[in-house]
C-alpha cells in the first residue's frame, strides 16, 4: 500500500512549521565554533582589541589599555574617536547598539571611498557582535562629541538602554571602553591564556610604533607596558635566539597614488634575519591582525627573497654545477616579522588565521625583491655569505632526495610516453596532475612548475573500474598509464601495500568545472578508492578546483581594476555583491565563463589552479563516514546492477539540483 507525500511528511514531523529561522545573534550561540575559537575567550577579546588597534592604525589613538579584572571580566580602553552613538539614518536605531547586536554591521566595509577606515583588520562585519553573543554581560562607554554614551547587554540582548550625558570636567574627550564577561557555556575554559594575550598586545605595540599598549592583571596586581619606537627591527632583535649570519634585512614599500596594480597605500614592512642554527621566529600580520597560519603575504615574502637571492647568485656565478635552487632553500633559515597593508583582505574563516587574497603574493614580492637585490649588491660580502648558506641547504636537500630515490629505484617500469614528468625526485614535493583532455594538458604543461609538477593528460572518460577485477585493470590504457606513472601496484583495502615506489607526494585530479568534469572526478575517485585505497588513507590524493568564472572589474575608488575568479555561481554572486558595495554595478563587471580548462591560458591555470600559494586543493579522505558506508555509496552510484537505486535517487533529489549541461 502506498503512502501519500502529505502523510509521509507528517509522520516524520518535517513540515513548514519544522523550519526554524535563526535571528539576531542566535546563529553564533547555536554554532560558536563557526565564528570563533572555543578553547578560550581570547579571540572574542581580541576582536575588541583589534577595533582599538584599527583606531591607532588610522592615526586616531595613541594608547590602548587592557585590564583583566578580578571577577574574570576583561576591559579594553582606547583614546580613539569613540564609536558613534547617534541614530543610524536607515535603521533608526543607535549605532552603538547596532555594532554589538547585528552580525553584519560595522565601519570597515566602505574602504577607499571616504569610509571610516582605509586599512583595517575588520572584514566580515561580525567581530564584536560575536563577542557580545558569547558574553553573559557586555558594557560599552563611548566618549565622543562632548558626551558620554553608555549601553549594557546581557546574553547578547540590550539589558540597559543607551544613555547619554555631557562630559564632566577632567574626563577624557574621546575614546571607547568595552568590558566583557565571557559566558562559560561556550568555552572549554573561561581562563584567558595570559601568555598568548601578552604576545598579542606586545605585537600590537611592535606594529604601531609610538603607540603605548598596557596590560593590567588585577589578580596578580601586575602591569606591563610596551612602546616600540624602533618597530619591527627592535622586536626581531630582542626575540632572536641565535646570532644573525648577516645584518638584518629590513624595508618597506607602499603603492603610490595612481598605481596600475594596487590601491594607494597597499604594501608591506618587513625585517628578515638569517641564522645558521637555533629556533626560527616567523610572524606575519595583515592590517595588524596576526596570521599564525600565514597566507599569501608570507608566500610573497618567500617569493621576493628567493628571486633576489637567486639573481645575486647567478650574477656572481656562485652556483656549483648540478645544484638547483628552490624557494625553500632560501627560506629554510629565515626568521622574519612581516606587516602587510591590504585594502580589502580576504581571510580564511572568521578567526582570520590565514590570508587568502591572491594579489597579496604579488604585492609583497614586488616590494621585497627589488629592495633585497639592491641591498645585496650594496653589501656583496654579506650576499656571498648568505649564498653559501643557501647553497649548502640546497645540496643537503638534494643528497637526501637522492638517497630516497636510490632505495626505491629497483624494477622501475617504463613510464608512459604522454607523461610530462618533473625534474625533482623529492617525494614530499612532487605533484602529479591527472588532467582531462589533451588541450587542458597542453595548458597545464606550459603553466606548471616543471621542477616538481608532472602532467598526465587523459583522453576522455576513463573506465568505470568499480566492478573490474585487479588482473583486468591494465587492459585499459588510461588506467595502465596512471598506475605506472604513480609507481604503485593496484591493491585492495587491507592488503599489505608497498608504497616505496610511489613517485609523487600529491596526486591531483584536475578536470573541468562542469558536469563532465565532475563525472571524470568520480571515475578517478572510484579507481583510487577501489584499487589504490592506501593512497587515499596516506593522504596522497587531491582534487584541484579550477574556477568556472572570471570577473573583470573596473577601477573603483582607491582600488585599481582587477580580475577575480569564482569556483561556482555562489562565489560569482558574492564577488558581484562586493563590487556593488564598492559602487560598481553588475553591468559594468565583465563576466567570462570558462567552458573548459583548455580555454584557460597557461598563466591563468598557474595562478588559479597550479600555484601552491594561490590554488585551492582539496584532500580526499573518507570524511565522517566509515569505509563500509563509502563502499555502499559507491555501489549505488557505480554498480552495474544498481540502475533502479540510481533512478530512485534522481527522482527523489533531482529537482533540488541546478545542473549546467
Amino acid at each position: 500500500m502506498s503512502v501519500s507525500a502529505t502523510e509521509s511528511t507528517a509522520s516524520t514531523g518535517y513540515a513548514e512549521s519544522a523550519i526554524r529561522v535563526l535571528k539576531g545573534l542566535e546563529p553564533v550561540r547555536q554554532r560558536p565554533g563557526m565564528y570563533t575559537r572555543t578553547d578560550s575567550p581570547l579571540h572574542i577579546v581580541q576582536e575588541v582589541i583589534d577595533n582599538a588597534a584599527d583606531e591607532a592604525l588610522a592615526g586616531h589613538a595613541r594608547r590602548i589599555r587592557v585590564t583583566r579584572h578580578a571577577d574574570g571580566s576583561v576591559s579594553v580602553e582606547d583614546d580613539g574617536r569613540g564609536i558613534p552613538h547617534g541614530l543610524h539614518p536607515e535603521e533608526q536605531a543607535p549605532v552603538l547598539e547596532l555594532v554589538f547586536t547585528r552580525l553584519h554591521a560595522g565601519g570597515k566595509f566602505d574602504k577607499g571611498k571616504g569610509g571610516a577606515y582605509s586599512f583595517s583588520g575588520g572584514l566580515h562585519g561580525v567581530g564584536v557582535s560575536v563577542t557580545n553573543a558569547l558574553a553573559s554581560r557586555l558594557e560599552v562607554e563611548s566618549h565622543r562629541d562632548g558626551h558620554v554614551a553608555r549601553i549594557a547587554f546581557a546574553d547578547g540582548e540590550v539589558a540597559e538602554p543607551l544613555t547619554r550625558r555631557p562630559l564632566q570636567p577632567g574626563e577624557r574627550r574621546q575614546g571607547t571602553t568595552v568590558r566583557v564577561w565571557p559566558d562559560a557555556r561556550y568555552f572549554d575554559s573561561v581562563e584567558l591564556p595570559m601568555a598568548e594575550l601578552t604576545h598579542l598586545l606586545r605585537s600590537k605595540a611592535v606594529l604601531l610604533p609610538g603607540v603605548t599598549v598596557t596590560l593590567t592583571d588585577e589578580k596578580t596586581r601586575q602591569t606591563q607596558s610596551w612602546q616600540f619606537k624602533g618597530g619591527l627591527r627592535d622586536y626581531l632583535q630582542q626575540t632572536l635566539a641565535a646570532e644573525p649570519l648577516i645584518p638584518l634585512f629590513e624595508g618597506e614599500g607602499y603603492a603610490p597614488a595612481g598605481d596600475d596594480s594596487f590601491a594607494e597605500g597597499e604594501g608591506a614592512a618587513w625585517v628578515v634575519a638569517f641564522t645558521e642554527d637555533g629556533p626560527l621566529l616567523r610572524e606575519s600580520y595583515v592590517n595588524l591582525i596576526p596570521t599564525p597560519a600565514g597566507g599569501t603575504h608570507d608566500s610573497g615574502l618567500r617569493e621576493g627573497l628567493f628571486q633576489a637571492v637567486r639573481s645575486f647568485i647567478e650574477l656572481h656565478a656562485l652556483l656549483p654545477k648540478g645544484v638547483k635552487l628552490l624557494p625553500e632553500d632560501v627560506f629554510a633559515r629565515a626568521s622574519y616579522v612581516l606587516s602587510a597593508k591590504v585594502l580589502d583582505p580576504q581571510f580564511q574563516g572568521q578567526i582570520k588565521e590565514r590570508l587568502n587574497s591572491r594579489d597579496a603574493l604579488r604585492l609583497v614580492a614586488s616590494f621585497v625583491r627589488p629592495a633585497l637585490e639592491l641591498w645585496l649588491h650594496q653589501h656583496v660580502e654579506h650576499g656571498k655569505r648568505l649564498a653559501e648558506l643557501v647553497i649548502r641547504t640546497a645540496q643537503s636537500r638534494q643528497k637526501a632526495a637522492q638517497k630516497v630515490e636510490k632505495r626505491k629505484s629497483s624494477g622501475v617500469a617504463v613510464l608512459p610516453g604522454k607523461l610530462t614528468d618533473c625534474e625533482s625526485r623529492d617525494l614530499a614535493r612532487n605533484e602529479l596532475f591527472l588532467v582531462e583532455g589533451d588541450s587542458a594538458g597542453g595548458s597545464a604543461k606550459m603553466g606548471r612548475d616543471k621542477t616538481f609538477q608532472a602532467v598526465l593528460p587523459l583522453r576522455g572518460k576513463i573506465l568505470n573500474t568499480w566492478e573490474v577485477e585487479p588482473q583486468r585493470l591494465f587492459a585499459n590504457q588510461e588506467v595502465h598509464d596512471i598506475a605506472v606513472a604513480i609507481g604503485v601496484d593496484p591493491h585492495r583495502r587491507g592488503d599489505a601495500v608497498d608504497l616505496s615506489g610511489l613517485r609523487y607526494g600529491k596526486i591531483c585530479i584536475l578536470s573541468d568545472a562542469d558536469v563532465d568534469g565532475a563525472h571524470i572526478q568520480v571515475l578517478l575517485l572510484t579507481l583510487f578508492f577501489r584499487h589504490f585505497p592506501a593512497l587515499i588513507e596516506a593522504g596522497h590524493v587531491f582534487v584541484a578546483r579550477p574556477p568556472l568564472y572570471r570577473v573583470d572589474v573596473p577601477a573603483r575608488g582607491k582600488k585599481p581594476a582587477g580580475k577575480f575568479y569564482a569556483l561556482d555561481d555562489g562565489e560569482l554572486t558574492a564577488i558581484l555583491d562586493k563590487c556593488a558595495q564598492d559602487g560598481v554595478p553588475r553591468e559594468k563587471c565583465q563576466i567570462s565563463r570558462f567552458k573548459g580548462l583548455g580555454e584557460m591560458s597557461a598563466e591563468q591555470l598557474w595562478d588559479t589552479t597550479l600555484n601552491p600559494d594561490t590554488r585551492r586543493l582539496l584532500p580526499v579522505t573518507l570524511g565522517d563516514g566509515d569505509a563500509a558506508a563509502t563502499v555502499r555509496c559507491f555501489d549505488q552510484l557505480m554498480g552495474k546492477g544498481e540502475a533502479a537505486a540510481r533512478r530512485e535517487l534522481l527522482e527523489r533529489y533531482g529537482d533540488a539540483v541546478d545542473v549546467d549541461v
Side-chain angles (χ1 to χ4, degrees), residues 147-190:
H147 287 78
V148 180
R150 185 181 186 280
I151 191 170
F153 306 89
D155 296 322
E157 303 292 337
V158 176
E160 298 174 21
L162 182 76
T163 58
R164 297 176 65 197
R165 62 170 175 80
L167 284 170
Q168 300 298 317
E171 278 191 300
R172 59 194 174 105
R173 303 201 60 78
Q174 64 178 42
T176 304
T177 302
V178 178
R179 185 168 178 176
V180 55
W181 285 259
D183 194 326
R185 292 177 295 172
Y186 302 111
F187 302 98
D188 299 338
S189 168
V190 288

Side-chain angles (χ1 to χ4, degrees), residues 227-243:
Q227 186 188 61
F228 289 87
K229 293 184 178 179
L232 307 184
R233 184 185 184 90
D234 284 357
Y235 179 49
L236 186 60
Q237 280 181 325
Q238 292 177 27
T239 315
L240 269 181
E243 189 68 24

Side-chain angles (χ1 to χ4, degrees), residues 464-487:
N464 177 2
T465 58
W466 185 246
E467 295 177 354
V468 175
E469 292 300 319
Q471 59 269 25
R472 295 290 303 160
L473 272 180
F474 288 164
N476 181 271
Q477 187 63 45
E478 301 295 324
V479 174
H480 171 272
D481 290 347
I482 292 171
V484 173
I486 291 171

Side-chain angles (χ1 to χ4, degrees), residues 98-110:
L98 293 176
V99 167
F100 286 88
T101 57
R102 298 283 182 90
L103 279 179
H104 297 282
K108 300 169 188 176
F109 291 106
D110 299 324

Side-chain angles (χ1 to χ4, degrees), residues 36-37 40-54 64-67 74-76 121 131 192-208 211-215 224-228 232 235 239 281 283-292 337 339 351-353:
T36 187
R37 285 168 48 184
S40 77
L42 177 64
H43 184 249
I44 66 167
V45 172
Q46 183 183 328
E47 290 286 359
V48 186
I49 295 170
D50 288 344
N51 284 354
D54 283 338
I64 300 170
R65 182 185 297 275
V66 179
T67 304
V74 182
S75 62
V76 180
T131 305
L192 274 177
M194 294 304 291
E196 288 185 51
L197 178 61
T198 301
H199 179 79
L200 172 69
L201 294 175
R202 186 184 181 201
S203 68
K204 296 293 186 191
V206 171
L207 299 168
L208 293 166
V211 174
T212 302
V213 181
T214 303
L215 171 61
Q224 302 178 72
S225 188
W226 301 274
Q227 186 188 61
F228 289 87
L232 307 184
Y235 179 49
T239 315
L281 172 72
E283 294 184 12
S284 60
Y285 303 83
V286 177
N287 302 350
L288 307 191
I289 300 295
T291 47
V337 183
S339 177
I351 61 174
K352 306 172 187 174
E353 288 190 323

Side-chain angles (χ1 to χ4, degrees), residues 343-374:
L343 186 66
D344 191 14
Q346 305 295 317
F347 291 97
Q348 178 176 299
Q350 166 60 14
I351 61 174
K352 306 172 187 174
E353 288 190 323
R354 177 180 172 83
L355 181 70
N356 278 357
S357 303
R358 251 191 205 107
D359 288 342
L361 190 155
R362 201 160 41 90
L363 171 72
V364 177
S366 68
F367 289 115
V368 171
R369 177 179 181 175
L372 181 55
E373 283 181 343
L374 178 62

Side-chain angles (χ1 to χ4, degrees), residues 466 493 525-531 533 536 622 627 630-631 634:
W466 185 246
R493 189 172 307 280
L525 290 172
T526 301
L527 172 67
F528 288 118
F529 179 70
R530 189 63 150 182
H531 299 286
I536 293 178
L622 290 179
T630 309
V631 168
F634 269 104

